[in-house]
Amino acid sequence: MCPIGIFDSGYGGLTVFRAIAGKLPQYDYLYLGDNARAPYGNRSFETVYEYTLECVHWFFSQGCELVILACNTASAKALRTIQQKDLPALGSQKRVLGVIRPSAEVIGRFTKTRSVGVLGTKGTVSSGSYVTEIRNFYPDIRVYQQACPLWVPFIENGDYRNDGVDYYIQKDLEQLFAQATDIDTVLLACTHYPLLEDRIRKYLPAGVSLIAQGPIVADSLADYLRRHPELAASLSTGGRKTFFTTDSVADFEEHATQFFGEEVKAQHIHLELK
Ligand code: DGL
């Protein structure tokens, strides 16, 4: 039994999981939301790394050989160290993949003005990961970033329908477009943000494309598995989806069912809480 592990600090990774399960319905999946410690976005590098590594170890203990960090903050702050230090130390063939590189790889297909906006958590923006990764693939693209530190807390608290959210969305988008008026493509570089997509669109200038990561990451994973047939062959199939949360099962089931678009039944796991 070797399901694919999908991880996020909370509910956001469900937007990626939904796209992956739509594209690759044959595989089994475990989803873990570390809701008890979310949001990760304003936490230090060390803390995000420690929490993420702990969750990755939990996936390994469940038999996962492949884990997707469906979280930009964890991808920005923990992925490289996990790939370069922790996995080699484990001496195993286990793989951990993130969401930043696949998004950076395709962003050039969307922009005509070569001016791209990136919306993310404080952690993702301050890491500079998108600026570096996009520059690697497309040296001609200008990247403008805006941190939106209150969007994830609204979603994690179940307040995403609150009118107060609109105030912050409008303000953060104004700050993004104050940096450059020719931005024609805005990347939702936080997997929680598609849950606010309708509201974000309301405040976007006309003609600007809004890009969510779910379909991009799903395509990238399908391509990765095509290029690694031995890994693909080791994955268990049957289309089972099992959900875990570090916080309240009742809250998770209520919100996840709305976000995932089908009924979600969850189990609780306990990790060292700080
Ligand atoms: N979904 C996570 C991301 O993509 C949210 C981060 C957080 O927990 O603040 O960055």
Side-chain angles (χ1 to χ4, degrees):
M1 165 80 171
C2 182
I4 298 175
I6 302 191
F7 167 72
D8 183 47
S9 59
Y11 298 117
L14 293 167
T15 64
V16 172
F17 184 16
R18 195 173 175 169
I20 290 177
K23 176 105 192 166
L24 300 165
Q26 67 273 38
Y27 296 116
D28 293 331
Y29 297 93
L30 300 189
Y31 182 91
L32 171 60
D34 190 9
N35 301 77
R37 300 188 293 198
Y40 280 14
N42 297 327
R43 295 192 187 276
S44 70
F45 177 93
E46 290 74 18
T47 302
V48 173
Y49 166 64
E50 187 187 324
Y51 288 180
T52 305
L53 182 61
E54 200 175 2
C55 293
V56 164
H57 278 304
W58 177 82
F59 279 110
F60 291 165
S61 75
Q62 303 299 302
C64 297
E65 293 281 313
L66 171 64
V67 178
I68 312 295
L69 302 184
C71 174
N72 289 269
T73 310
S75 299
K77 294 191 163 194
L79 180 63
R80 181 171 303 213
T81 315
I82 291 174
Q83 285 176 334
Q84 294 182 354
K85 183 176 138 263
D86 299 297
L87 291 182
L90 280 173
S92 72
Q93 290 305 305
K94 298 185 195 308
R95 331 237 176 152
V96 180
L97 306 174
V99 290
I100 296 180
R101 204 183 161 85
S103 310
E105 199 170 353
V106 299
I107 200 72
R109 295 184 200 156
F110 297 95
T111 171
K112 291 196 173 62
T113 61
R114 313 312 274 171
S115 200
V116 166
V118 170
L119 301 172
T121 64
K122 207 171 124 217
T124 299
V125 165
S126 66
S127 76
S129 300
Y130 272 98
V131 177
T132 309
E133 290 281 355
I134 293 175
R135 195 164 288 151
N136 282 341
F137 289 108
Y138 305 101
D140 62 318
I141 290 183
R142 295 172 302 283
V143 180
Y144 301 95
Q145 303 191 94
Q146 180 63 40
C148 314
L150 289 172
W151 297 12
V152 174
F154 273 120
I155 294 165
E156 284 295 313
N157 291 329
D159 277 340
Y160 53 97
R161 292 212 178 87
N162 185 322
D163 285 344
V165 185
D166 284 56
Y167 170 81
Y168 290 102
I169 292 177
Q170 195 171 9
K171 180 168 87 57
D172 291 332
L173 287 178
E174 270 170 22
Q175 286 181 6
L176 175 67
F177 284 92
Q179 297 178 52
T181 50
D182 67 339
I183 295 170
D184 69 347
T185 303
V186 171
L187 176 69
L188 298 177
C190 170
T191 56
H192 278 69
Y193 297 172
L195 303 169
L196 299 172
E197 195 167 333
D198 292 347
R199 286 169 176 236
I200 299 168
R201 279 190 198 282
K202 260 185 14 198
Y203 300 106
L204 270 189
V208 173
S209 309
L210 191 63
I211 312 295
Q213 295 175 297
I216 294 172
V217 175
D219 285 350
S220 168
L221 178 60
D223 181 54
Y224 185 85
L225 292 175
R226 261 192 304 275
R227 289 184 287 109
H228 296 85
E230 74 303 337
L231 174 65
S234 75
L235 297 171
S236 60
T237 54
R240 284 172 287 265
K241 304 183 192 99
T242 315
F243 296 83
F244 297 87
T245 176
T246 54
D247 203 356
S248 152
V249 165
D251 284 352
F252 187 88
E253 287 179 349
E254 185 193 333
H255 296 302
T257 297
Q258 287 175 50
F259 296 149
F260 196 63
E262 62 183 72
E263 200 187 1
V264 167
K265 288 275 163 224
Q267 299 167 48
H268 180 263
I269 61 156
H270 180 79
L271 297 170
E272 273 312 302
L273 296 184
K274 293 203 171 152

